[in-house]
Amino acid sequence: MAGPCRLRPASRADLAALADLERRAFSDPWSADELAEGLSWTGAIALIAEDAAGAIVGYALGRVIVDEGEILSLAADPDHRRGGVGHTLLTGIMAAMIDHGARAAWLEVRESNDAARAMYAQAGFVATGVRRGYYRRPPEDALVLRRQLVPAAATRSPVR
């Protein structure tokens, strides 16, 4: 088990659980239909974080287009936050993006989400811009973050 959880690829069979996690984790959640669409995109990468009992405690959804990765959603179950789930998912999705040829990763984060911003900063992401009015519920700007991804000879995705 890597850190506090084990990572595995997400599948369409996980959609109901992911939509439930979205509703519990975010004020402006993705629907099951939006998640299904995201899983079907070219270059999509979706990871599930499971605890030792096999319960879903988080997930990450991203995609790689040419050599750019975008983290579209990263959620930790509210009952498992501050336990390393987010960090494990972030590390896992960046490794998977490198495996798919990405040389940089991008994401948006709520300006007020200090915990996520701190995690991303610790992982080497830097703010490159602001998307005004990006979030709807409640209305809020998003910070656009970017991190260079450097393939290492030994880099291997932790997804098994």
Side-chain angles (χ1 to χ4, degrees), residues 39-131:
L39 287 175
S40 72
W41 288 334
T42 300
I45 300 168
L47 303 177
I48 298 286
E50 294 179 332
D51 66 12
I56 294 175
V57 295
Y59 90 98
L61 174 63
R63 64 181 169 183
V64 173
I65 299 174
V66 186
D67 63 351
E68 297 280 317
E70 181 181 16
I71 299 171
L72 301 164
S73 188
L74 192 150
D77 184 300
D79 294 334
H80 291 84
R81 288 187 179 154
R82 305 276 184 186
V85 172
H87 174 76
T88 300
L89 283 162
L90 182 59
T91 301
I93 199 159
M94 287 190 303
M97 287 177 168
I98 290 169
D99 289 349
H100 286 83
R103 304 204 32 98
W106 297 84
L107 61 88
E108 290 90 9
V109 63
R110 278 188 184 272
E111 205 167 34
S112 65
N113 191 341
D114 293 332
R117 288 176 58 192
M119 178 182 73
Y120 295 133
Q122 184 178 16
F125 282 85
V126 295
T128 62
V130 175
R131 294 193 197 279

